[in-house]
Amino acid sequence: MLFIFLYLALFIPSPDIFRREHFGEYYYLWPISLGLVVTVAGQAIRGATIGLAYIIRGGRDKKVYAEELVTQGIFNHCRNPLYVGNILMLVGVGILSNSLLYMAVLIPLFLFIYQAIVLAEENFLRGKFGAAFNAYCARVNRWLINPNGLGETFHSMEFKPKRWLLKEYNTQFVWLLGITLILLLYYPQLTDFNPQLRNMLLAFIVLGLATVYFTVRYLKKSGRWVAD
C-alpha cells in the first residue's frame, strides 16, 4: 500500500524542480534523463539482488520474519540492496515527475519509514542470528553498496531471470505504468503536443504492459512457471 500511495502522490500538483526560466527551452530533458537513469538503476539493483540470491524477509503475522541470514549475492555488498533499489526507484520517478513537493516532503518521509523498518529488522536478526549477524554488520554497510568484488559475485553465481520475473512482475507493472503516465501526461513535448498521438501511445503501452502482466501472473498461478 505504501508504494501505491507514493506512486499516486506523483500526480499531486506541485511546483517544478526544473523550470524553463532556469534551464531553457529544453528544460524537460533534465528531469527525464536524470529521473530515468536513477529509477532504472534502482530496478537494476533489485533485479540483480533477486536474480542472484533472493531473501525471504519481511512481515509475517505483523511481526518481523526471516528464514535465514542471507549474505551472498548483492547482500555480500550491501545489507539492504532491495530497499536501496526501492529508494532509487522512487527518487527517480520523483525527479522524472519534476515534483518539488514529492522530493522535498514525501521522499524524506519514505526514508524515515524505511530507516525505522530496517532498525526493527536488524534488531530481530541480531536476536536470532547473534554473532553471525554482528560479524556481517561489521563487514557490510547498511545502505552503501560496496563495488569491490561485484564482478566476481556476478561471475560466481547464476542469474535466474525467471525468478526475477515471477517475484517482480507486480512491481515491474506498477513501475513501468507510472513511468509511462508521467512521460506522456507531463511532457506533451514528447508527442509534439498531439493529444491523439499521446492517447494512442498510452493505450498501446498500457495494453502491452497488461498483456505481459496477466501472462506472467497466469503462468505463476497455474504452476507452469516456478521460481528456481
Side-chain angles (χ1 to χ4, degrees), residues 2 6 106-119:
L2 177 61
L6 288 169
L106 293 177
I107 288 298
L109 176 62
F110 175 65
L111 293 177
F112 173 79
I113 293 172
Y114 252 19
Q115 178 72 2
I117 291 172
V118 166
L119 291 177

Side-chain angles (χ1 to χ4, degrees), residues 2-80:
L2 177 61
F3 267 78
I4 297 297
F5 167 76
L6 288 169
Y7 273 99
L8 290 175
L10 290 166
F11 301 95
I12 297 174
S14 165
D16 292 340
I17 302 171
F18 300 92
R19 303 180 184 180
R20 181 188 295 269
E21 56 266 32
H22 296 142
F23 291 88
E25 180 182 359
Y26 299 102
Y27 73 97
Y28 58 92
L29 295 178
W30 286 92
I32 290 175
S33 56
L34 289 175
L36 287 176
V37 167
V38 174
T39 196
V40 169
Q43 183 54 248
I45 291 171
R46 281 190 60 87
T49 302
I50 294 170
L52 292 178
Y54 185 61
I55 186 170
I56 302 175
R57 184 191 301 171
R60 174 175 288 186
D61 298 326
K62 299 182 179 181
K63 297 180 181 179
V64 180
Y65 165 79
E67 287 188 350
E68 61 179 317
L69 182 62
V70 178
T71 62
Q72 64 265 39
I74 306 301
F75 292 99
N76 190 42
H77 303 269
C78 176
R79 300 206 305 265
N80 299 284

Side-chain angles (χ1 to χ4, degrees), residues 80-116:
N80 299 284
L82 291 174
Y83 291 162
V84 171
N86 290 345
I87 291 168
L88 290 177
M89 286 171 65
L90 289 171
V91 168
V93 293
I95 297 171
L96 184 64
S97 68
N98 204 17
S99 172
L100 182 61
L101 173 67
Y102 192 88
M103 295 300 296
V105 177
L106 293 177
I107 288 298
L109 176 62
F110 175 65
L111 293 177
F112 173 79
I113 293 172
Y114 252 19
Q115 178 72 2

